[in-house]
Amino acid sequence: MDVRECLDETAFHQDEEGLWRGWFWGYEETRAQSFKCMSVQAHATFVKPFLISNTTARSVFLDRSEELIHGPYSEWSKEFWTARRSMRFAKHLRDIGNKFRKSYLGSTDKKDNTVLDEDWQKMKRKHGDAKGGPYVAAHIRRRDYLYAHGEDIPDLKDTAKQLEVVLKKLNLNTVFIATDAPKEEVDELRDYLKDYKVFKYDPQKEVLESYKDGGIAIIDQWICAHARHFIGTYVSTFTFRIHEEREILGFDPDTTFNRFCPNTTSDCEQPSRWPVVY
């Protein structure tokens, strides 16, 4: 574990006052006094003594801390899944997502076999129990990913081609996209998929002000988690959380652990599968 020069471009930059700006989950007023890249191949418990010895800051933001080794609480353990199953998205955010599913995607929990038990401890589904709504969901990460992982994601035209392959295979005509792409890119993608219905959740002003980007992200994830088939973005934590929700709901892993391949690559390595453990 050591501090070193950044190997890739980052989502953080220094402003004219010398403070660091970046993605702090929609809290635009947040700034950092310093920014450093760390190389880590260690257990999470080693981070505390390292920080105590190397910084006097009272608050430290660890971006990508999921990369740390979490021992018995790693994704393959019963301990991790017990904690994860108990952590449900807030009901008011689920309700917004459910209303959108019903209104635009023809999707309800009863029809999709995705009804949540009130007691999370009794929620134990088998793979294939969940059917999902009559739509394909896609998490399409853009913006900073074009610089950090440009070689691992397709352009918009190829994204549309990969979606069309799945839509035809499943005999579906509806796509839901969760994306940070600007409006002009969303419109471009819609043009490539003009023979299909393409939906995106655009929150009303008061919803965005109340729940900020983090809350809107949860609504997007909830809608994606209920699709008949899901395609995510390479090594994205946003995509990983959708994987987990779909595992809890009981989807066939073949409909969950999928990613967009780079241009001209039809058979890229797919995401690791972390099956739910009871």
Side-chain angles (χ1 to χ4, degrees):
M1 181 184 299
D2 62 290
V3 176
R4 60 174 62 178
E5 289 188 11
C6 300
L7 299 178
D8 301 309
E9 289 194 43
T10 74
F12 299 89
H13 64 279
Q14 208 165 14
D15 64 19
E16 63 277 3
E17 297 178 355
L19 299 177
W20 289 87
R21 297 171 175 261
W23 176 243
F24 294 103
W25 298 99
Y27 293 90
E28 297 181 0
E29 69 279 7
T30 302
R31 303 285 185 272
Q33 291 184 331
S34 65
F35 172 81
K36 296 179 181 179
C37 286
M38 291 178 59
S39 175
V40 180
Q41 188 173 2
H43 196 280
T45 55
F46 293 129
V47 174
K48 179 180 177 180
F50 179 88
L51 292 176
I52 290 175
S53 300
N54 289 275
T55 181
T56 57
R58 296 181 62 186
S59 298
V60 178
F61 174 68
L62 295 174
D63 198 18
R64 304 307 301 269
S65 61
E66 75 281 357
E67 300 292 345
L68 295 168
I69 300 172
H70 294 280
Y73 299 99
S74 295
E75 290 90 337
W76 56 80
S77 70
K78 179 181 177 180
E79 288 80 5
F80 168 84
W81 279 106
T82 298
R84 181 61 181 84
R85 288 166 50 226
S86 73
M87 298 168 63
R88 291 185 167 177
F89 292 143
K91 185 178 184 301
H92 58 276
L93 298 178
R94 300 200 314 261
D95 287 344
I96 294 173
N98 290 340
K99 182 178 179 181
F100 186 92
R101 287 167 53 210
K102 183 177 181 180
S103 299
Y104 299 100
L105 302 171
S107 170
T108 66
D109 285 336
K110 187 174 182 180
K111 289 193 298 183
D112 302 349
N113 294 336
T114 54
V115 177
L116 283 178
D117 289 341
E118 288 295 326
D119 184 350
W120 68 266
Q121 297 177 87
K122 295 179 180 179
M123 182 80 180
K124 297 181 179 181
R125 300 291 186 263
K126 296 178 182 178
H127 287 144
D129 282 352
K131 178 183 178 182
Y135 62 98
V136 172
H139 171 221
I140 304 172
R141 182 77 174 268
R142 302 288 291 171
R143 297 189 186 268
D144 61 313
Y145 249 51
L146 297 177
Y147 304 100
H149 297 285
E151 71 281 3
D152 296 307
I153 60 175
D155 60 25
L156 293 173
K157 186 174 183 179
D158 212 71
T159 297
K161 288 180 180 179
Q162 293 181 47
L163 279 168
E164 189 169 17
V165 168
V166 176
L167 287 162
K168 288 182 176 179
K169 180 180 178 180
L170 299 178
N171 194 29
L172 296 173
N173 69 346
T174 304
V175 182
F176 174 79
I177 58 171
T179 183
D180 61 347
K183 182 180 183 302
E184 56 269 22
E185 289 192 359
V186 174
D187 292 341
E188 182 182 347
L189 184 64
R190 282 196 167 105
D191 286 340
Y192 291 133
L193 292 168
K194 58 181 178 296
D195 294 331
Y196 301 92
K197 298 176 183 178
V198 180
F199 292 96
K200 177 180 177 292
Y201 176 68
D202 292 311
Q204 296 179 334
K205 182 180 179 181
E206 58 269 23
V207 174
L208 181 59
E209 290 178 347
S210 295
Y211 306 129
K212 300 189 180 296
D213 288 344
I216 305 310
I218 287 174
I219 295 169
D220 272 341
Q221 288 173 319
W222 188 246
I223 297 171
C224 286
H226 289 76
R228 189 74 48 84
H229 190 96
F230 172 69
I231 309 174
T233 293
Y234 176 72
V235 296
S236 164
T237 52
F238 186 101
T239 284
F240 294 160
R241 299 295 81 79
I242 296 169
H243 290 169
E244 293 165 1
E245 288 297 322
R246 291 176 65 86
E247 275 292 295
I248 292 168
L249 290 170
F251 280 93
D252 185 324
D254 288 343
T255 71
T256 294
F257 296 97
N258 307 288
R259 58 163 283 206
F260 287 104
C261 292
N263 284 12
T264 71
T265 306
S266 60
D267 189 27
C268 62
E269 182 180 2
Q270 294 300 301
S272 298
R273 298 189 176 195
W274 303 105
V276 62
V277 179
Y278 298 113

